[in-house]
Amino acid sequence: MANNYYTGERAEIKIDGKTYELPIVVGSEGEKAIDIRTLRDQTAYLAFDNGYANVGSCVSKITYIDGERGILSYRGYGIADLAENCTFVEVAYLLTHGSLPTREELSEFSGMLNRFAMIHEDMIRFFDGYPPNSPPMAILSSMVNSLCSFYPEMTANPREDIDEMSARLISKVRTIAAFSYKNSIGHPVVYPRHDLSYCANFLNMMFDSPVKPYEINHKVVSALNKLLILHGDHEQNCSTSTVRMVGSARVNLYASVSAGISALWGPLHGGANQAVMNMLEEIHAGGGDFRRYVEKAKDPKDSFRLSGFGHRVYKTHDPRSWIIKQTCDEVLADLKSPDPLLSIAKELEEAVLKDDYFVERNLYPNVDFYSGIIYRAIGIPTSMFTVMFALGRLPGWIAHWKEMWDESDGRISRPRQIYIGPLSRPFVPIDQR
Ligand code: SDX
């Protein structure tokens, strides 16, 4: 095997009295895997793992997660370092290009984001067609897919001008998100400005109005940069794997990302930040007694899950939730807007971390538990929280689409299955059924 992650070590597997060998893969952080790509050819057996909890779908150079030690890094840089020292645009460049930008590269990338900030006036009229209270994630997914209509060259040559396509998407998704909010409250859209940074521009497009100029608060801009950075990428989560899967059929970037947005919408995934906020508001409205929710979550007969807790990979604290919790305190103090939901969230976290049910299952707060409290303090409506997750995750989706396209030896992703349905049976005409 040509690649340097094959060490020459081999695993042995014994089936029906015969021993087979399979190569071992070792990642740059020491993760080990058995390459089963020849398993079926050698043994006629498939490997089985519904939900893919124990199988690697690819090798990747983008993000590393250590679920046991609570480690997360993008292209080798620790998440805390990036959140503390970078802007979201710098991290978007890191994820999509592979290295942190020089001043010149950053200036050129920021210029592209400015150049692509507007959406076609015809697209603004699309908003008139959505019924009031349309789900923002439905609007975002369809508007991103609709961008393909304005850039037909992309469908013909999906991999060409990828830097321009990426910058265009990162900039326009921000504009679409803000415009969809303005449209949902019946206010005129606020156009992007070239004199504002990525996050300041978003906030201005969201909250500026012809009758009351929006006063940009640099602490809020800094908090939004951190939130978007923390959501930037997370290796093969459900929505990123969706982008890779759809892209593997040689579908263009925008349609692949549109599919990822739909996956992220789910309450078990990115939709959890909205579910957390709804749960905290219910607890608050009920007098603050969160114990009923904890007991519901522990009841095996009840499908209710405590949103914002647990993770497929992290079996200790999600490193992002620490940083978000700290940022919560900073933003609420600066805005002098104490939020009773933050106190409830902290009490709930404290109770859960002492409860055997959660401790035995390694259920800790994840990225979604505290993020909504900051979005709420900034003035972003709960219905837009998962859209904010998508804004942050977009550079990660783009990076994985590019990596899949360049390094997946061009094959379409197509898992197998184990059939457990009825055996062959003779056809029965409808009158005899
Ligand atoms: C994100 O994958 C990523 O990287 C995702 C993400 C990213 O950045 O892309 O990190 C973003 O999606 C974070 C997760 C947001 N979702 C939630 O907060 C929803 C609540 N959490 C769960 O539904 C759950 O924890 C998942 C979906 C996050 C993980 O599910 P798993 O890995 O399939 O865990 P599981 O269902 O096998 O649960 C193991 C046990 C079960 O109990 P037992 O059957 O062993 O008795 O833990 C229980 C579960 O019932 N459990 C919970 C729980 N999460 C798991 N019980 C109560 N409340 C919860 N939140």
Side-chain angles (χ1 to χ4, degrees):
M1 303 281 179
N3 299 307
N4 59 8
Y5 41 84
Y6 285 91
T7 61
E9 291 174 273
R10 305 180 76 73
E12 286 189 356
I13 180 170
K14 189 173 275 186
I15 302 177
D16 306 334
K18 219 177 151 198
T19 302
Y20 302 89
E21 286 196 343
L22 293 167
I24 299 275
V25 176
V26 183
S28 41
E29 289 278 359
E31 288 164 300
K32 292 196 168 185
I34 300 169
D35 180 342
I36 59 166
R37 284 182 291 182
T38 61
L39 177 68
R40 189 166 180 272
D41 287 347
Q42 288 191 60
T43 69
Y45 278 68
L46 288 176
F48 177 64
D49 180 21
N50 69 327
Y52 312 117
N54 306 285
V55 67
S57 60
C58 61
V59 290
S60 177
K61 299 171 186 159
I62 301 167
T63 290
Y64 173 67
I65 301 176
D66 181 321
E68 280 65 43
R69 293 187 292 158
I71 291 171
L72 168 61
S73 64
Y74 299 159
R75 304 282 189 182
Y77 294 97
I79 192 64
D81 284 345
L82 294 173
E84 192 55 37
N85 301 298
C86 290
T87 64
F88 172 62
V89 170
E90 280 181 281
V91 172
Y93 187 96
L94 169 66
L95 286 167
T96 53
H97 292 74
S99 54
L100 283 170
T102 61
R103 281 194 190 284
E104 189 186 354
E105 289 165 337
L106 182 58
S107 168
E108 187 188 348
F109 187 53
S110 299
M112 288 173 86
L113 294 175
N114 270 337
R115 187 151 51 97
F116 297 129
M118 298 268 281
I119 61 174
H120 196 292
E121 288 293 306
D122 287 352
M123 274 200 99
I124 299 178
R125 282 188 277 280
F126 286 15
F127 289 113
D128 299 340
Y130 291 110
N133 301 322
S134 293
M137 287 297 274
I139 294 174
L140 188 64
S141 178
S142 48
M143 291 293 270
V144 166
N145 221 338
S146 301
L147 279 173
C148 305
S149 311
F150 293 85
Y151 305 98
E153 70 281 3
M154 187 177 60
T155 308
N157 306 296
R159 189 65 181 81
E160 265 183 38
D161 300 331
I162 187 66
D163 286 349
E164 192 166 294
M165 273 203 295
S166 306
R168 184 193 291 140
L169 191 57
I170 291 170
S171 192
K172 288 187 187 315
V173 166
R174 170 194 49 180
T175 304
I176 290 168
F179 281 17
S180 73
Y181 169 64
K182 285 296 198 189
N183 183 66
S184 73
I185 57 174
H187 286 192
V189 296
V190 171
Y191 283 83
R193 287 170 32 185
H194 283 192
D195 62 322
L196 295 176
S197 69
Y198 185 90
C199 287
N201 229 330
F202 173 73
L203 292 167
N204 192 61
M205 287 193 275
M206 284 285 286
F207 303 120
D208 191 41
S209 93
V211 293
K212 186 178 180 229
Y214 175 66
E215 200 180 315
I216 289 169
N217 174 325
H218 294 290
K219 279 256 184 174
V220 170
V221 172
S222 166
L224 185 55
N225 269 295
K226 271 187 189 170
L227 279 167
L228 296 183
I229 288 168
L230 292 169
H231 287 81
D233 190 51
H234 216 235
E235 56 133 279
Q236 300 310 314
N237 59 86
C238 181
S239 54
T240 301
S241 294
T242 299
V243 171
R244 289 182 83 116
M245 173 74 84
V246 171
S248 76
R250 291 302 177 243
V251 170
N252 68 71
L253 175 64
Y254 294 6
S256 303
V257 165
S258 173
I261 292 169
S262 299
L264 187 71
W265 190 359
L268 292 188
H269 191 11
N273 58 15
Q274 292 185 200
V276 169
M277 194 47 70
N278 295 334
M279 178 180 71
L280 292 176
E281 283 173 340
E282 268 181 39
I283 293 170
H284 180 55
D289 178 16
F290 52 78
R291 298 201 178 284
R292 183 167 67 83
Y293 292 81
V294 173
E295 293 314 311
K296 257 176 83 67
K298 291 161 63 177
D299 180 353
K301 292 189 289 297
D302 194 325
S303 61
F304 173 76
R305 291 263 176 111
L306 214 47
S307 286
F309 283 88
H311 199 276
R312 173 60 59 80
V313 176
Y314 290 123
K315 298 311 167 192
T316 181
H317 279 270
D318 180 333
R320 301 167 294 179
S321 69
W322 280 122
I323 299 168
I324 295 175
K325 183 177 175 182
Q326 185 187 350
T327 308
C328 265
D329 289 329
E330 290 163 7
V331 168
L332 268 61
D334 184 74
L335 294 177
K336 297 180 181 54
S337 63
D339 186 341
L341 301 191
L342 179 58
S343 316
I344 293 173
K346 288 181 175 178
E347 287 170 41
L348 175 56
E349 177 190 3
E350 193 182 337
V352 165
L353 295 184
K354 289 178 189 161
D355 188 305
D356 289 345
Y357 170 92
F358 295 91
V359 173
E360 286 158 10
R361 293 166 176 80
N362 298 310
L363 302 176
Y364 292 87
N366 57 47
V367 69
D368 293 307
F369 188 58
Y370 284 104
S371 54
I373 291 170
I374 302 177
Y375 291 140
R376 179 176 139 111
I378 293 174
I380 295 169
T382 304
S383 61
M384 288 273 294
F385 286 6
T386 311
V387 169
M388 298 308 295
F389 194 141
L391 273 186
R393 186 52 50 88
L394 184 55
W397 286 334
I398 292 170
H400 281 277
W401 185 91
K402 284 173 71 176
E403 184 174 72
M404 173 281 304
W405 192 285
D406 295 342
E407 300 179 21
S408 65
D409 54 44
R411 305 187 74 208
I412 191 169
S413 293
R414 201 267 187 225
R416 302 300 297 267
Q417 62 161 32
I418 300 297
Y419 175 72
I420 55 170
L423 295 175
S424 173
R425 47 187 173 164
F427 178 75
V428 178
I430 191 162
D431 299 332
Q432 297 168 35
R433 289 174 202 162

